[in-house]
């Protein structure tokens, strides 16, 4: 019996060694699989983060593309006002992108251009024609026109339901702006719409100005009719200096016919609520493509210093005679 036991010992040792090898192999395999799973998980998380970053970047690029494709234009033209003076603003929003603008809303702000505006100026903004077919429809806003930043001026928001501007489409509106005093204004228009990617609110804004010449009834009187009524009653303003104006700007502002030449004694006439102010040409400035003018008015004693400076800014550079 003792001899038989000694013969079995190497076999048992071999079996124990095989079992140990199997366990070690399984452990190594488990570690390898665990490492592979961990690497796959890390790669998956990295890919998801990269995909999220790419999606965010694509959304931002798309939003920037859409914003750059939105064209906002404002055109001002003098109009009759029920009180004071006024102008009509034609607003146009053109969507050049292939993506429609959802829930579009338009806002306007106005302020006096002169920072030293002392007197109170009342402003009224209203629809000219109320479009009930889905265009930009506003209500009516009244307020006091203050000087300062245009973003802090009188706000005027689209009050009706939001509008959708289709891809390649243009939405227009016309509003009347009336003030009870002749004053230059600054304005800002903001177009708000939802981002097609994130749903966040996007804004495209445009700044513009309203000049005195867009509030006055401007006309041109050529030399041959310069002495006819009622212009015979216009007198030179006492103590006022002469100014030089650019011919091209004057032709555009006063709608001078192309066939009419600008000569001495021609007049650029501006009317507002029964008052008449004009610039009478006294000399042609050949070297500068300009003309030297003097202010004439129905009331020669009027203090029009501030208006003269503003008109000089709009038409050209003022010079002392």
């Amino acid at each position: 019996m003792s001899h038989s036991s000694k013969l079995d010992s190497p076999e048992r040792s071999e079996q124990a060694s095989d079992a140990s090898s199997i366990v070690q192999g399984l452990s190594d395999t488990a570690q390898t699989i665990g490492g592979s799973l961990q690497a796959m998980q890390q790669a998956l998380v990295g890919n998801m983060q990269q995909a999220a970053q790419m999606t965010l970047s694509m959304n931002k690029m798309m939003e920037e593309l859409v914003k750059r494709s939105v064209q906002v234009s404002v055109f001002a033209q003098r109009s009759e006002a029920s009180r004071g003076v006024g102008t009509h603003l034609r607003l146009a929003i053109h969507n050049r992108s292939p993506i429609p603008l959802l829930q579009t809303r338009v806002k306007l702000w106005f302020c006096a251009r002169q920072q030293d505006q002392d007197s109170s100026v009342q402003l009224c903004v209203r629809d000219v024609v109320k479009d009930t077919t889905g265009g930009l429809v506003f209500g009516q806003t009244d307020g006091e026109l203050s000087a300062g930043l245009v973003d802090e001026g009188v706000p005027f928001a689209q009050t009706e339901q939001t509008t959708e501007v289709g891809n390649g489409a243009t939405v227009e509106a016309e509003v009347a702006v009336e003030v009870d005093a002749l004053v230059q204004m600054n304005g800002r228009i903001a177009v708000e719409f939802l981002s097609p990617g994130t749903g966040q609110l996007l804004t495209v804004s445009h700044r513009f100005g309203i000049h005195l010449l867009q509030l006055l009834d401007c006309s041109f009187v050529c030399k041959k009719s310069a002495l006819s009524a009622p212009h015979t009653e216009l007198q030179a303003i006492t103590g006022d200096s002469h100014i030089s104006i650019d011919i091209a700007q004057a032709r555009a502002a006063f709608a001078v016919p192309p066939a009419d030449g600008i000569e001495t004694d021609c007049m650029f006439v501006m009317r507002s609520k029964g008052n008449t102010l004009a610039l009478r040409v006294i000399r042609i400035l050949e070297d500068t493509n300009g003309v030297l003018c003097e202010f004439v008015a129905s009331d020669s004693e009027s203090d029009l210093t501030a208006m003269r400076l503003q008109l000089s800014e709009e038409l050209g550079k003022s010079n002392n005679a």
Side-chain angles (χ1 to χ4, degrees):
M1 294 292 292
S2 165
H3 177 71
S4 176
S5 176
K6 290 180 179 180
L7 293 176
D8 292 339
S9 295
E11 185 178 346
R12 290 180 178 178
S13 297
E14 186 178 350
Q15 290 178 353
S17 176
D18 292 343
S20 176
S21 298
I22 293 174
V23 172
Q24 183 63 39
L26 291 174
S27 176
D28 293 343
T29 302
Q31 289 181 359
T32 303
I33 294 175
S36 299
L37 291 175
Q38 185 177 6
M40 291 175 60
Q41 184 180 14
Q42 291 176 349
L44 180 61
V45 171
N47 290 337
M48 292 178 63
Q49 291 176 344
Q50 185 178 7
Q53 186 64 35
M54 288 180 61
T55 301
L56 181 61
S57 299
M58 290 179 63
N59 281 334
K60 288 184 177 180
M61 289 178 60
M62 181 171 57
E63 289 176 353
E64 189 64 26
L65 175 63
V66 172
K67 288 172 65 176
R68 290 178 179 271
S69 300
V70 177
Q71 183 177 0
V72 181
S73 61
V74 180
F75 178 76
Q77 185 176 22
R78 189 261 175 191
S79 65
E80 294 292 336
S82 57
R83 53 183 179 181
V85 293
T87 186
H88 280 184
L89 294 182
R90 290 211 304 268
L91 315 175
I93 302 169
H94 180 48
N95 178 19
R96 298 177 296 175
S97 75
I99 302 173
L101 307 182
L102 303 178
Q103 299 186 26
T104 304
R105 185 180 295 274
V106 178
K107 296 180 180 179
L108 292 167
W109 289 265
F110 298 95
C111 73
R113 179 175 299 180
Q114 299 297 324
Q115 298 294 323
D116 56 351
Q117 187 74 30
D118 296 328
S119 59
S120 173
V121 179
Q122 297 300 313
L123 170 74
C124 174
V125 186
R126 57 178 175 79
D127 293 299
V128 174
V129 178
K130 291 187 176 181
D131 185 2
T132 59
T133 61
L136 301 176
V137 180
F138 298 86
Q140 177 170 323
T141 297
D142 296 88
E144 183 175 327
L145 191 68
S146 59
L149 298 176
V150 68
D151 295 341
E152 300 173 356
V154 180
F156 180 58
Q158 181 186 356
T159 56
E160 299 295 325
Q161 63 182 7
T162 56
T163 305
E164 178 176 334
V165 185
N167 55 308
T170 300
V171 176
E172 298 179 338
E174 187 171 355
V175 296
V177 180
E178 299 178 356
V179 286
D180 61 357
L182 198 59
V183 59
Q184 292 175 319
M185 289 179 282
N186 286 332
R188 184 171 77 92
I189 178 174
V191 180
E192 299 177 346
F193 54 92
L194 295 182
S195 166
T198 63
Q200 295 181 347
L201 191 65
L202 302 179
T203 302
V204 176
S205 63
H206 172 70
R207 296 178 184 272
F208 59 93
I210 298 178
H211 307 294
L212 294 185
L213 293 172
Q214 294 166 331
L215 297 171
L216 295 166
D217 183 10
C218 299
S219 60
F220 174 72
V221 179
C222 59
K223 182 177 180 179
K224 60 185 179 182
S225 58
L227 299 179
S228 62
H231 307 299
T232 53
E233 301 175 1
L234 300 180
Q235 302 295 325
I237 296 177
T238 303
D240 204 78
S241 62
H242 298 160
I243 68 168
S244 63
I245 62 176
D246 182 77
I247 291 180
Q249 293 186 25
R251 280 186 174 275
F254 292 87
V256 181
D260 287 355
I262 297 179
E263 305 174 281
T264 55
D265 289 332
C266 292
M267 286 194 288
F268 303 101
V269 183
M270 297 156 280
R271 297 186 180 88
S272 174
K273 292 297 182 182
N275 297 319
T276 302
L277 174 69
L279 289 168
R280 180 160 52 201
V281 178
I282 59 176
R283 191 168 69 215
I284 307 297
L285 304 175
E286 301 290 348
D287 297 336
T288 62
N289 294 322
V291 291
L292 187 67
C293 302
E294 65 174 351
F295 276 102
V296 294
S298 53
D299 183 1
S300 62
E301 301 298 327
S302 299
D303 183 10
L304 300 175
T305 303
M307 183 183 297
R308 179 184 64 81
L309 294 176
Q310 293 173 9
L311 289 172
S312 300
E313 173 192 338
E314 294 179 12
L315 287 171
K317 184 177 181 181
S318 61
N319 294 316
N320 293 329

